[in-house]
Amino acid sequence: MRQFPPSRIVCLTDETVETLYLLGEQDRIVGVSGYAVRPPQVRREKPRVAAFISADIPKILALEPDLVLAFSDLQAGIVADLVRAGVAIHVFNQRDIAGILTMIRTLGAIVGAADRADQLARGLEERLARVAATPRSAPKPKVYFEEWDDPLISGIGWVSELIEIAGGEDALPNLRLQQAAKDRIISPDTVRDAAPDVILASWCGKKVVPGRIRQRPGWSEIPAVRNNRIVEIKSTIILQPGPAALTDGLDAIVKALWPEQAV
């Protein structure tokens, strides 16, 4: 029998886990993605039931969830299996900062914590505004964000926005509206022609190897390569569209762009 607010929630991505913990509603979580690492205690407190595009459906059903939280078309197969099994699902699809803040407020409403969620979202909005208003020395560094290395995939919408909030200029701003990774595949020549001052890389859970970036044909004259400004940002703090990206992720971008300044 389902109830409101749901008392047994399975989270198939990290950002809803982190949000529920920040709202003080973590006791409702009965299962998480294997990639859930925020806050750190989640790895010992909650059973892992899924990867990102695959899940242990029998294990999820055995937890008797009254709600499963999923993300995007990439989890459509998991969602379809759970829907056929009669499980209630909410699928988020946030791809920009406004969407992240909406996710927080929506999730708060779902668990009966709308006021706390609004307070959390407002606090994040104020933090973003504060960072954006920080005086920076001109000119703005041009930034290329690399989400994957083979093929080259540039950064998604919220990453592009965070680069601008941090005082940088996205080297490939037109790609921010492309939601699917396949639509953000670019050629090495595109990056070379953009001539970024800084390269930020987060290879979706795989360790970034700056040496391989430097050795790409034709890249030796890119300012970021020439000046050794290639910085890895951990995927757990920038590629999850939730509070992590708006806090630790943004801080990491600021540190990479303005190493002589504090956030």
Side-chain angles (χ1 to χ4, degrees):
M1 182 176 176
R2 296 196 179 115
Q3 61 180 32
F4 178 83
S7 61
R8 299 184 61 79
I9 299 175
V10 168
C11 300
L12 298 181
T13 52
D14 196 14
E15 66 276 358
T16 50
V17 173
E18 181 179 20
T19 300
L20 287 170
Y21 268 87
L22 288 171
L23 295 176
E25 299 291 339
Q26 65 271 18
D27 289 349
R28 300 182 187 279
I29 302 172
V30 295
V32 299
S33 156
Y35 294 105
V37 295
R38 292 174 68 92
Q41 64 263 35
V42 69
R43 294 186 72 79
R44 63 176 183 272
E45 290 180 353
K46 307 295 180 182
R48 295 188 284 280
V49 298
F52 185 60
I53 56 174
S54 63
D56 187 331
I57 302 297
K59 193 171 182 179
I60 292 174
L61 297 178
L63 292 170
E64 299 182 342
D66 45 20
L67 179 66
V68 172
L69 300 172
F71 173 74
S72 88
D73 56 305
L74 294 173
Q75 295 190 325
I78 304 171
V79 169
D81 288 343
L82 292 171
V83 167
R84 281 191 283 267
V87 177
I89 311 274
H90 186 99
V91 183
F92 288 104
N93 207 16
Q94 69 277 15
R95 309 295 180 121
D96 54 21
I97 290 175
I100 292 172
L101 295 167
T102 298
M103 177 276 291
I104 291 169
R105 290 183 165 105
T106 302
L107 183 52
I110 287 172
V111 299
D115 289 346
R116 268 176 285 140
D118 187 59
Q119 187 176 10
L120 174 59
R122 283 177 186 272
L124 291 169
E125 288 169 337
E126 290 167 4
R127 188 182 199 279
L128 294 172
R130 195 164 58 246
V131 174
T134 302
R136 310 284 182 196
S137 55
K140 293 182 176 182
K142 190 183 291 186
V143 183
Y144 162 60
F145 186 96
E146 185 168 289
E147 190 176 302
W148 193 245
D149 65 323
D150 186 21
L152 299 188
I153 299 177
S154 68
I156 198 166
W158 70 83
V159 176
S160 177
E161 291 177 294
L162 290 172
I163 287 169
E164 292 182 351
I165 288 171
E169 175 189 345
D170 187 349
L172 303 170
N174 295 336
L175 292 174
R176 73 162 62 175
L177 299 178
Q178 302 297 329
Q179 296 192 0
K182 65 180 177 59
D183 296 326
R184 287 180 278 110
I185 294 174
I186 54 175
S187 72
D189 287 350
T190 299
V191 181
R192 189 189 64 198
D193 293 345
D197 301 300
V198 181
I199 293 173
L200 303 179
S202 185
W203 290 351
C204 212
K206 181 174 72 171
K207 185 170 179 56
V208 171
V209 184
R212 277 172 35 199
I213 295 175
R214 282 193 290 270
Q215 290 165 9
R216 290 172 185 165
W219 280 38
S220 60
E221 288 308 305
I222 291 176
V225 175
R226 198 169 59 236
N227 298 320
N228 199 29
R229 296 195 68 185
I230 302 171
V231 181
E232 177 179 17
I233 297 183
K234 299 294 185 186
S235 57
T236 51
I237 63 170
I238 195 63
L239 296 183
Q240 300 278 10
L246 307 189
T247 53
D248 293 353
L250 175 57
D251 290 354
I253 294 174
V254 171
K255 185 177 179 182
L257 301 194
W258 312 102
E260 70 285 355
Q261 300 178 19
V263 176

